[in-house]
Amino acid sequence: QQQVKQSPQSLIVQKGGISIINCAYENTAFDYFPWYQQFPGKGPALLIAIRPDVSEKKEGRFTISFNKSAKQFSLHIMDSQPGDSATYFCAASNEGGTSYGKLTFGQGTILTVHP
Amino acid sequence: DAGITQSPRHKVTETGTPVTLRCHQTENHRYMYWYRQDPGHGLRLIHYSYGVKDTDKGEVSDGYSVSRSKTEDFLLTLESATSSQTSVYFCAIGKRGLTDTQYFGPGTRLTVL
């Protein structure tokens, strides 16, 4: 059962463009939504995260938009750069429960930014 | 990689052989996790630990076992490796509190022939 669905599977954008990756979740108990960035040969690293008490969070060129009623959240990368080329994963967890910090991940999006 | 090492980094083995992967942390985090990463599936949780000798199953635990005898070490064992267990395995650590942020190790690429 895939509780977090991510799209698209791959994305190609030009340098300076906006990259948008979308995720949808099913479990209404989820209350923490991080995004991870992974470069080839490396482990995933936390990029940015949001909780459902806000609808948007921005850190530099990266923004998470959150729609609680639709159970969707998305990552926007403004002014995309070739160095942003990586695989991006959305994830979700239930911080308030007894989930022991377990994260449920989306399937991943391979982002390629052309110079 | 936040004080996390995994060994070995690469391994090729044959079907039916036992394999043990090691995760070692220097952060003294209470929580440790094993994931596998496969194309089209993202990262899927195999097993996790919430303390020494305290472990539980994740989403894809069949064919895997774990042990944690010390805070810093979390072992993943494939009792009898199968080709379907060819994957990249990641260990992660976390400490609950304000967030459920997890920090990942560099991964182990396992090929089962």
Side-chain angles (χ1 to χ4, degrees):
Chain A
Q1 180 185 2
Q2 186 67 43
Q3 294 193 51
V4 179
K5 295 184 178 180
Q6 184 173 344
S7 63
Q9 286 187 321
S10 62
L11 180 62
I12 300 174
V13 301
Q14 294 297 123
K15 178 181 177 181
I18 302 174
S19 304
I20 302 175
I21 304 171
N22 302 298
C23 284
Y25 63 97
E26 300 170 6
N27 188 346
T28 55
F30 287 151
D31 55 10
Y32 176 67
F33 303 90
W35 284 88
Y36 281 80
Q37 179 188 55
Q38 183 183 30
F39 293 106
K42 303 291 187 181
L46 179 68
L47 184 63
I48 186 173
I50 196 169
R51 290 187 183 82
D53 53 341
V54 296
S55 60
E56 185 175 285
K57 182 174 182 179
K58 183 176 180 180
E59 291 184 2
R61 296 184 294 108
F62 301 90
T63 300
I64 300 179
S65 297
F66 185 83
N67 185 329
K68 187 174 181 179
S69 61
K71 294 188 288 185
Q72 295 176 347
F73 58 110
S74 59
L75 176 69
H76 292 65
I77 306 175
M78 311 300 290
D79 188 26
S80 298
Q81 299 296 311
D84 297 330
S85 297
T87 301
Y88 292 81
F89 295 97
C90 62
S93 73
N94 177 13
E95 277 190 325
T98 57
S99 65
Y100 298 108
K102 292 182 293 182
L103 289 171
T104 299
F105 283 86
Q107 298 94 323
T109 296
I110 301 172
L111 172 65
T112 302
V113 181
H114 285 317
Chain B
D1 291 316
I4 309 169
T5 57
Q6 292 185 232
S7 58
R9 294 293 313 280
H10 302 272
K11 186 172 182 65
V12 179
T13 191
E14 295 188 349
T15 298
T17 60
V19 176
T20 295
L21 308 182
R22 179 182 185 237
C23 177
H24 178 78
Q25 61 148 326
T26 58
E27 305 295 324
N28 200 36
H29 282 6
R30 177 182 176 186
Y31 299 90
M32 298 185 75
Y33 312 84
W34 277 108
Y35 292 89
R36 61 177 289 174
Q37 182 176 6
D38 305 287
H41 292 277
L43 292 121
R44 292 180 292 174
L45 183 65
I46 304 172
H47 280 279
Y48 63 100
S49 170
Y50 47 95
V52 174
K53 293 187 175 15
D54 293 323
T55 66
D56 204 348
K57 297 178 180 180
E59 179 187 354
V60 290
S61 60
D62 287 348
Y64 302 94
S65 62
V66 291
S67 65
R68 191 172 179 197
S69 59
K70 298 184 291 184
T71 298
E72 57 266 36
D73 290 325
F74 193 30
L75 303 180
L76 176 70
T77 297
L78 288 66
E79 304 290 348
S80 177
T82 68
S83 58
S84 65
Q85 293 175 312
T86 293
S87 186
V88 180
Y89 291 85
F90 286 99
C91 172
I93 64 174
K95 60 174 180 179
R96 302 204 71 197
L98 294 179
T99 73
D100 279 345
T101 298
Q102 292 183 20
Y103 302 92
F104 284 78
T108 294
R109 182 172 295 276
L110 176 67
T111 301
V112 183
L113 302 176

